[in-house]
């Protein structure tokens, strides 16, 4: 995860996100401990109708306009 974070920062990204399969609580806990938050955004995988939820990590704040 640190390598992904460093690469995203080097690319000037504001956020990193990932999709997590429902029921994968161990991975969800790991991502939350790493600073990710649950977004509540959900989607279904077309191959088998599994439910997923998006997690996001804010790397830097969006500048005020």
């Amino acid at each position: 995860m640190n390598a992904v974070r460093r690469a995203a920062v080097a690319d000037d990204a504001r956020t990193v996100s990932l999709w997590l399969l429902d029921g994968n609580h161990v991975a969800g806990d790991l991502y939350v401990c790493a600073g990710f938050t649950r977004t509540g955004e959900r989607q279904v995988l077309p191959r088998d109708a599994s439910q997923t939820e998006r997690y996001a990590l804010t790397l830097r704040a969006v500048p005020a306009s």
Side-chain angles (χ1 to χ4, degrees):
M1 276 192 280
N2 288 333
V4 170
R5 186 188 309 242
R6 283 192 302 272
V9 168
D11 285 345
D12 204 28
R14 291 190 177 134
T15 62
V16 172
S17 65
L18 56 90
W19 292 91
L20 184 67
L21 286 170
D22 281 359
N24 193 347
H25 304 293
V26 173
D29 291 347
L30 173 70
Y31 295 133
V32 168
C33 285
F36 284 78
T37 57
R38 297 173 68 177
T39 66
E41 185 179 350
R42 303 188 61 73
Q43 68 178 7
V44 176
L45 291 179
R47 70 170 189 248
D48 64 8
S50 296
Q51 294 283 321
T52 63
E53 183 176 4
R54 184 173 171 255
Y55 283 62
L57 173 67
T58 300
L59 300 171
R60 62 184 176 93
V62 176
S65 28

